[in-house]
């Protein structure tokens, strides 16, 4: 009986051992399967990260290129603005000089017109005096009651040169 019991115990032990080995093998297979699945998932995740990283790196390069281009444009626009401001100042100065020169030339033209007017009046008065002298000499002269018409044009200095009274003294 002991032998039978021992044999039964050995068989029970072998069957438990086989059962545990089978369970261990199943657990091992499942763990390997899970491990492989995890490795596959990790590989897929790495690939996605690599592709996403490459995509973002490409996008960042594009943005950096665009930013560099915009900075160059901004620099050139600022440079152009500063050149334009300098040119504007130069043109303003030139316009101011031309305005000053224009005023001076207008004053000179006005002065010359006054002198010409005064000279014309003087020549006319001299011609009139000459006609009177000729008429007196020939006996045909009749004196006018009103006398010559006074001139109102020309500066006082021009009037003095023509032998006429200054305007400000005549009006007073």
């Amino acid at each position: 009986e002991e032998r039978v019991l021992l044999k039964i115990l050995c068989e029970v032990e072998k069957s438990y051992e086989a059962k545990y080995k089978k369970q261990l093998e199943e657990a091992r297979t499942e763990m390997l399967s899970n491990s492989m699945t995890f490795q596959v998932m990790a590989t897929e995740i790495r690939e996605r990260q690599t592709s996403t990283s490459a995509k973002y790196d490409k996008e960042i390069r594009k943005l950096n290129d665009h930013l560099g281009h915009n900075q160059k444009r901004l620099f050139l626009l600022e440079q152009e603005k500063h050149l334009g401001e300098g040119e504007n100042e130069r043109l303003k100065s030139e316009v101011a000089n031309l305005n000053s020169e224009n005023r001076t030339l207008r004053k000179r033209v006005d002065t010359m017109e006054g002198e010409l007017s005064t000279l014309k009046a003087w020549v006319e008065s001299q011609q009139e005096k000459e006609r009177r002298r000729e008429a007196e000499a020939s006996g045909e002269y009749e004196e006018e009651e009103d006398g010559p018409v006074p001139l109102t044009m020309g500066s006082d200095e021009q009037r003095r040169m023509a032998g006429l009274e200054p305007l400000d003294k005549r009006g007073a």
Side-chain angles (χ1 to χ4, degrees), residues 18-30:
K19 185 178 175 186
Y20 285 126
K21 278 186 180 181
K22 186 178 177 187
Q23 285 179 346
L24 184 62
E25 191 61 38
E26 286 175 0
R28 185 172 173 217
T29 304
E30 189 177 322

Side-chain angles (χ1 to χ4, degrees), residues 24-145:
L24 184 62
E25 191 61 38
E26 286 175 0
R28 185 172 173 217
T29 304
E30 189 177 322
M31 286 185 78
L32 283 175
S33 172
N34 287 339
S35 175
M36 291 300 267
T37 304
F38 180 74
Q39 286 179 353
V40 168
M41 286 174 57
T43 304
E44 287 177 0
I45 289 172
R46 278 190 212 108
E47 287 173 358
R48 285 183 196 157
Q49 284 178 336
T50 303
S51 95
T52 304
S53 176
K55 179 180 162 185
Y56 286 136
D57 287 345
K58 185 178 178 181
E59 193 67 30
I60 287 171
R61 267 188 254 111
K62 277 178 156 180
L63 290 173
N64 283 338
D65 288 345
H66 190 65
L67 178 65
H69 180 71
N70 283 344
Q71 286 176 336
K72 286 178 188 176
R73 286 182 61 201
L74 178 62
F75 173 75
L76 292 174
L77 286 173
E78 286 177 354
Q79 222 177 14
E80 188 175 322
K81 176 185 169 191
H82 291 302
L83 289 174
E85 287 173 353
E87 184 68 14
N88 281 346
E89 290 302 318
R90 186 188 68 76
L91 289 175
K92 284 179 184 178
S93 173
E94 193 171 318
V95 166
N97 289 341
L98 289 173
N99 280 338
S100 173
E101 184 178 339
N102 190 25
R103 279 192 298 275
T104 303
L105 290 175
R106 283 179 189 249
K107 285 179 185 176
R108 285 185 67 197
V109 166
D110 289 344
T111 302
M112 291 174 115
E113 285 176 349
E115 289 173 356
L116 181 62
S117 173
T118 303
L119 186 59
K120 186 177 178 183
W122 182 78
V123 166
E124 287 175 358
S125 72
Q126 292 301 320
Q127 287 174 344
E128 182 63 31
K129 285 180 185 178
E130 186 63 30
R131 273 190 235 119
R132 281 187 194 161
R133 275 190 223 127
E134 287 175 3
E136 282 178 7
S138 65
E140 302 172 3
Y141 178 71
E142 292 182 22
E143 226 174 282
E144 296 178 11
E145 293 177 17

